[in-house]
Amino acid sequence: MSLRNDTKPWLSGGFGLVILASIPAVLFVGALIFFTVWVVTFSFTDLSLVGAKSVNWSWIGFDNYERLFTRRGFMESLWVTVSFTFFSAIVGQSLLGFLLASVMRALRGPLRGFIEVAIMLGWLLPDIVAAFLWSATTAENGLINSVVLGPLGFDSVNFLNEFAFPVVVVANVWKGTAWSYLLFSAALDSVPRDVIEAAQVDGATWWQRTRRVTLPMIKSHIGTNTLFITIWTFTYFPLVYAMTGGGPGRQTKVLSIFMYEQSFKIGKLGYGSAISVAMLLVVGLLAVFYVRLLKEPE
Amino acid sequence: MSDVLLSGVSKDYGAVNVIPSIDLHIKAGELVVFVGPSGCGKSTLLRMIAGLEHVTRGDISIGGTRVNDVAASSRGIAMVFQSYALYPHMTVYQNMAFGLELARTPKAEIEKQVRDAARILQIEPLLDRRPKALSGGQRQRVAIGRAIVRNPKVFLFDEPLSNLDASLRGQTRVEIAHLHHSLGATMIYVTHDQTEAMTLADRIVVLNKGNIEQVGTPLELYGKPVNTFVAGFIANQPMNMLDVVAENRGGKIVLKLDGGAEIEAETPMAERARTLGIRPEDVVLVDSGKGPLTGTVSVVEHLGENALIHMTLTGGQEFIVKVDGAPDLAIGAEVSVALVPGRAHVFDANGHALREGDTQVA
Ligand SMILES: Nc1ncnc2c1ncn2[C@@H]1O[C@H](COP(=O)(O)OP(=O)(O)O)[C@@H](O)[C@H]1O
Ligand SMILES: [Mg+2]
């Protein structure tokens, strides 16, 4: 009597099938590792996109990494990226997403549906279309100028020129709040109504209930949300690039734009690789930090 | 300790009226149980008293003050929820201290109150634990402790025992009765379990579809249910309900059953009787032909200290008799039933009890 055929028909065929089944996974992981190794490897070379050095590149040690700190560009872009991430994701999307989720719980009927659709639209719209909408709205002859400022007698303002950073921050808040809203809606659903009512009977105001009961109870959701939107926003490219191209000056030149320019406009693939590796390290460190924060103290 | 007065209290959810109009006076220090089937409005009524639900019409007063527009935390009530509703991220101590802390009670005073309550409930060793590290019974005690610490004028319980297993339920029931005696506080207790209602209550309020069917002491409700609903609800075993036709034979009212059986009623009120209600424990088994109701045994359920004998009467009606001990009865045996005098109930066509003195039975 053979147990093999009775209990594990799938595995009983030997390792052949197992290996066959794991090929897609191996390919996927292999590709990830390959690209990472590729980027890390070439960050130590002077590889170019075109010209002689695209073929005859040479090893230059840590030169590219040194340039991150000695040449203009990287540190400025790092700062722009950190501010952009902080204001548009951690503050803007999280806070707005949470507030909307809290308020919408009490709301029923068509108004709620309307607002939810509006929130989702921003999320579902392609980045390029969103960028066009925001540019059209904030341009010198755009919606805000012609509908609000003009009639009130103000001079028209080219927002994308004069307030480039705030405008891309607002645009990204609008674009990305849906994720936080959805996540916090689900999180708030997980808080039993009874517990909030017990706090109400205990005399907690709305603010005290939120800060001392609701927020601690959804702590892990807050951590997850922050982790995700930080990673996404830190490496976000299309919306900002399509709206401002990183300008004016370096005002909105986030790291992804800086990396793109160095790699594909100027053609220094080696330097671009070093920038990518640096971004990877920063995001990785942030992720470790959040995951640590999330771990419940026993 | 305060009284609670409900006058014309009514509740609509949108266009749906779930509580038409309730008038009720709960005396200071009394333990009143709201009992009724699921969905009859018990929780809604309790939550309106607590201040967690808006009162659509009518007034609620606690201790003589109208509280319709007073916040839950200022009504002098404490509530114990069915789910316990403990704060999962706080220790037992913090759970119990939270309300006092919000009220800016001095630390030493908080410590004293929490420790006192913990001692009463024997949960002192648990004070540093989180709720998830407690058993259901322990969580229940913490929830009660959190209520005690608030030192409320009125305790509100919403089905506090229904998440506990049977033995713990019995034990906690006794402890709540104990607590009521030692604290002397007014308590309103909601349950769908008639045993809890019977054992705990000073007075029971039987609710059905948002209306009060009857208010009274447990024994009043058991002995003199005002209608078939209360008669059926306040009972360990459902009351036997037999369709009857009343006939006036020269001043004597005779209740005639299908199958020819006849039972004589003495109150003239019984002339309008349509239903005869007899509790399984209010009859005695006699030899066939020696009692007014006769039938054959269909099932015998042995419960140890007593047994339920299910029989089919000659008219075809099902009838249950409760007898002490373990009777030696074969399925199919023919037996008769004699009624204990003064214990039968008669109801009119609308299910209202007909009572003017007790129904005398021949
Ligand atoms: N928030 C609500 N919205 C609409 N209907 C409700 C709400 N809460 C309760 N009800 C309805 O009110 C009735 C009474 O509910 P409830 O007081 O919870 O009953 P019980 O506690 O006696 O089981 C039920 O029919 C229920 O469906
Ligand atoms: Mg209920």
Side-chain angles (χ1 to χ4, degrees), chain B residues 32-328:
Chain B
V32 166
V33 173
F34 293 172
V35 70
S38 179
C40 71
K42 308 180 293 289
S43 296
T44 304
L45 197 54
L46 193 74
R47 291 165 55 79
M48 285 196 284
I49 297 171
L52 295 171
E53 209 75 66
H54 178 73
V55 180
T56 311
R57 281 172 297 276
D59 292 317
I60 297 181
S61 305
I62 298 178
T65 313
R66 183 178 178 274
V67 293
N68 285 42
D69 305 314
V70 176
S73 56
S74 309
R75 290 187 180 193
I77 56 102
M79 181 133 168
V80 176
F81 295 83
Q82 177 176 353
S83 65
Y84 318 139
L86 300 177
Y87 311 120
H89 57 292
M90 299 185 196
T91 63
V92 169
Y93 183 95
Q94 290 166 334
N95 261 280
M96 290 166 70
F98 189 59
L100 294 178
E101 208 183 298
L102 292 173
R104 300 187 185 284
T105 312
K107 271 224 159 51
E109 176 66 19
I110 295 179
E111 169 107 22
K112 185 183 170 304
Q113 303 244 28
V114 171
R115 299 233 170 250
D116 282 352
R119 184 152 22 78
I120 294 175
L121 294 163
Q122 296 167 336
I123 50 173
E124 285 168 297
L126 308 178
L127 284 176
D128 292 327
R129 294 217 203 146
R130 297 267 161 95
K132 71 169 177 237
L134 302 178
S135 70
Q138 291 169 332
R139 287 179 203 180
Q140 182 54 265
R141 283 155 186 274
V142 176
I144 294 174
R146 182 171 64 183
I148 292 178
V149 165
R150 287 180 56 72
N151 192 18
K153 292 182 278 187
V154 182
F155 281 87
L156 307 175
F157 296 88
D158 192 355
E159 310 221 11
L161 305 185
S162 42
N163 287 351
L164 299 179
D165 62 51
S167 70
L168 210 50
R169 211 180 299 156
Q171 195 183 324
T172 315
R173 204 172 67 206
V174 174
E175 281 170 20
I176 290 177
H178 219 78
L179 207 62
H180 177 235
H181 283 294
S182 58
L183 298 176
T186 311
M187 293 187 174
I188 306 177
Y189 186 107
V190 162
T191 181
H192 64 267
D193 182 314
Q194 67 90 24
T195 313
E196 275 173 41
M198 289 294 284
T199 51
L200 278 174
D202 292 327
R203 280 194 303 157
I204 297 177
V205 177
V206 181
L207 289 166
N208 183 27
K209 295 182 186 144
N211 292 305
I212 295 182
E213 296 282 353
Q214 190 173 3
V215 182
T217 67
L219 292 182
E220 276 167 12
L221 264 54
Y222 178 82
K224 295 179 180 178
V226 296
N227 55 32
T228 48
F229 181 84
V230 176
F233 205 85
I234 301 296
N236 255 318
Q237 297 299 326
M239 187 183 274
N240 294 297
M241 297 288 186
L242 302 170
D243 291 341
V244 292
V245 177
E247 196 180 283
N248 191 336
R249 283 191 199 145
K252 285 194 170 177
I253 310 295
V254 175
L255 304 175
K256 300 197 295 182
L257 281 78
D258 283 353
E262 292 189 351
I263 290 173
E264 199 177 303
E266 220 165 57
T267 168
M269 298 285 289
E271 188 156 15
R272 289 186 288 121
R274 290 289 176 79
T275 306
L276 172 65
I278 305 166
R279 295 193 190 275
E281 58 270 35
D282 287 342
V283 289
V284 285
L285 272 190
V286 292
D287 289 338
S288 182
K290 298 258 172 79
L293 300 176
T294 301
T296 54
V297 175
S298 56
V299 177
V300 179
E301 286 184 285
H302 287 289
L303 302 169
E305 68 169 310
N306 50 42
L308 295 176
I309 296 158
H310 296 248
M311 49 191 287
T312 310
L313 300 182
T314 41
Q317 309 94 325
E318 296 299 318
F319 196 88
I320 301 177
V321 180
K322 187 172 179 181
V323 296
D324 287 342
D328 184 20

Side-chain angles (χ1 to χ4, degrees), chain A residues 132-146:
Chain A
F132 171 75
L133 279 178
W134 277 92
S135 303
T137 309
T138 56
E140 197 142 19
N141 52 2
L143 199 69
I144 296 181
N145 279 312
S146 51

